[in-house]
Amino acid sequence: MREEIGLAIIQSIIDSQKDLIVVFQESTPVLINKAFKKFFAVSSLDDYKEEFGPFVNNFVPHPSYFHGEKVAKGSSWVDAISELPEMDRIVSMMTATYEPHAFLVKVQNIEEYVIAVFEDITQTLIKRIMIENNASIDKQSGAYAKNYFLQIAQSYQDAATFNKKIISAILIKSEAKEASELPELVKHFKSIIRQDDMLIRWGEDSFLLIYLVDNLTNAQKMMDKVYTKGCFFTLITQKEKESIKEFIKRIEI
């Protein structure tokens, strides 16, 4: 009885935290908080275990972040990330709606248990990147800059692979005669597309909308959704086993 009360108190405490908290026993999650359930869109720990594999698989493979491929054979991800300097203990995980978030990871060992706290630093990281890389946003239009997308394209491919999606793109050519008209056009498209979709300034009078989909039907639905007078649209969808580099080459043609 006393043990159940103690567990209820612990659950209440971690549920009050905004950070994602997981308690592990021998690499297996035994306790998660509300923030964790909300992020992964699960109702319970049992639901999470049924839907997801090894915990390290949640970390999106990307050279800028810690992930499973950086764990030595025979070692655990907890041991591997603990060996890194604090500033490098960053992972990327995807929400149930495929939105990538960056987390600063803090781990603590208490006897046979490991408490892992994931602090969402997405906005902080984005702001830092934006400051360090002025090319992130095209100043004329307000869309993402082409060079910026090319730099992070592989991470977009990683996200697609991890979530078993395909990449689709819509090349949008505008009839706008003045550069001053572009910000309003970008504002219009941003009001239609989803938060995770990327609108990129692709050329002098063109944009590229990049997004993840389940199938070709949904790719077409997006083009129907963004159709706007005064623009020409071309749908390009990633072929099976086609790399992101090959995909971009097809867009360039």
Side-chain angles (χ1 to χ4, degrees):
M1 181 70 176
R2 185 175 296 177
E3 185 178 336
E4 291 178 0
I5 293 173
L7 187 60
I9 292 172
I10 293 171
Q11 186 72 64
S12 177
I13 292 171
I14 66 173
D15 280 344
S16 68
Q17 306 300 306
K18 65 178 182 179
D19 298 328
L20 277 57
I21 300 176
V22 188
V23 180
F24 296 89
Q25 185 178 29
E26 297 181 354
S27 301
T28 301
V30 293
L31 202 65
I32 57 178
N33 69 340
K34 281 184 179 179
F36 184 92
K37 294 175 188 175
K38 182 178 179 181
F39 185 85
F40 286 99
V42 294
S43 59
S44 67
L45 177 60
D46 288 338
D47 285 347
Y48 171 79
K49 287 180 177 180
E50 286 180 12
E51 190 170 342
F52 296 84
F55 192 85
V56 71
N57 289 351
N58 290 320
F59 305 152
V60 178
H62 187 278
S64 299
Y65 303 115
F66 174 85
H67 55 84
E69 293 176 12
K70 296 185 179 182
V71 180
K73 189 175 181 181
S75 181
S76 71
W77 74 265
V78 172
D79 292 337
I81 202 169
S82 297
E83 292 173 359
L84 299 175
E86 277 192 33
M87 64 180 295
D88 294 330
R89 297 175 189 174
I90 299 175
V91 300
S92 176
M93 297 193 294
M94 305 284 286
T95 67
T97 53
Y98 317 113
E99 180 184 354
H101 283 241
F103 294 90
L104 179 64
V105 185
K106 300 173 186 176
V107 293
Q108 183 178 0
N109 292 276
I110 301 178
E111 296 181 355
E112 74 267 30
Y113 298 98
V114 173
I115 301 173
V117 178
F118 298 85
E119 179 187 351
D120 195 330
I121 59 168
T122 307
Q123 294 305 316
T124 303
L125 202 59
I126 289 173
K127 288 177 183 177
R128 190 178 77 188
I129 292 170
M130 296 288 282
I131 292 171
E132 292 175 352
N133 182 8
N134 291 327
S136 297
I137 298 295
D138 174 64
K139 293 180 180 179
Q140 265 194 333
S141 66
Y144 282 106
K146 182 177 180 178
N147 286 341
Y148 174 70
F149 171 71
L150 295 177
Q151 288 172 15
I152 60 97
Q154 186 56 51
S155 65
Y156 208 84
Q157 175 67 76
D158 293 339
T161 302
F162 184 82
N163 291 284
K164 298 179 181 179
K165 303 285 183 180
I166 57 175
I167 299 174
S168 191
I170 300 173
L171 185 61
I172 305 168
K173 291 194 175 183
S174 168
E175 291 183 323
K177 296 179 181 179
E178 301 292 336
S180 58
E181 298 177 54
L182 297 180
E184 281 301 315
L185 191 58
V186 168
K187 186 177 179 181
H188 165 72
F189 284 123
K190 282 186 175 181
S191 70
I192 300 173
I193 65 177
R194 302 166 300 185
Q195 186 177 353
D196 298 332
D197 303 331
M198 288 189 72
L199 183 66
I200 305 149
R201 177 82 179 275
W202 205 248
E204 191 66 27
D205 60 352
S206 65
F207 296 92
L208 189 73
L209 175 59
I210 291 278
Y211 54 103
L212 302 182
V213 290
D214 296 307
N215 50 55
L216 296 176
T217 300
N218 288 336
Q220 181 63 49
K221 284 181 179 179
M222 175 63 85
M223 191 163 81
D224 296 339
K225 181 179 178 181
V226 300
Y227 175 79
T228 303
K229 290 183 179 180
C231 295
F232 298 97
F233 298 84
T234 304
L235 179 65
I236 310 105
T237 303
Q238 191 177 30
K239 298 176 181 177
E240 187 177 0
K241 296 183 180 180
E242 183 179 38
S243 71
I244 188 69
K245 289 184 179 179
E246 294 168 334
F247 181 57
I248 291 171
K249 282 182 181 178
R250 282 205 294 127
I251 296 171
E252 298 278 28
I253 295 174

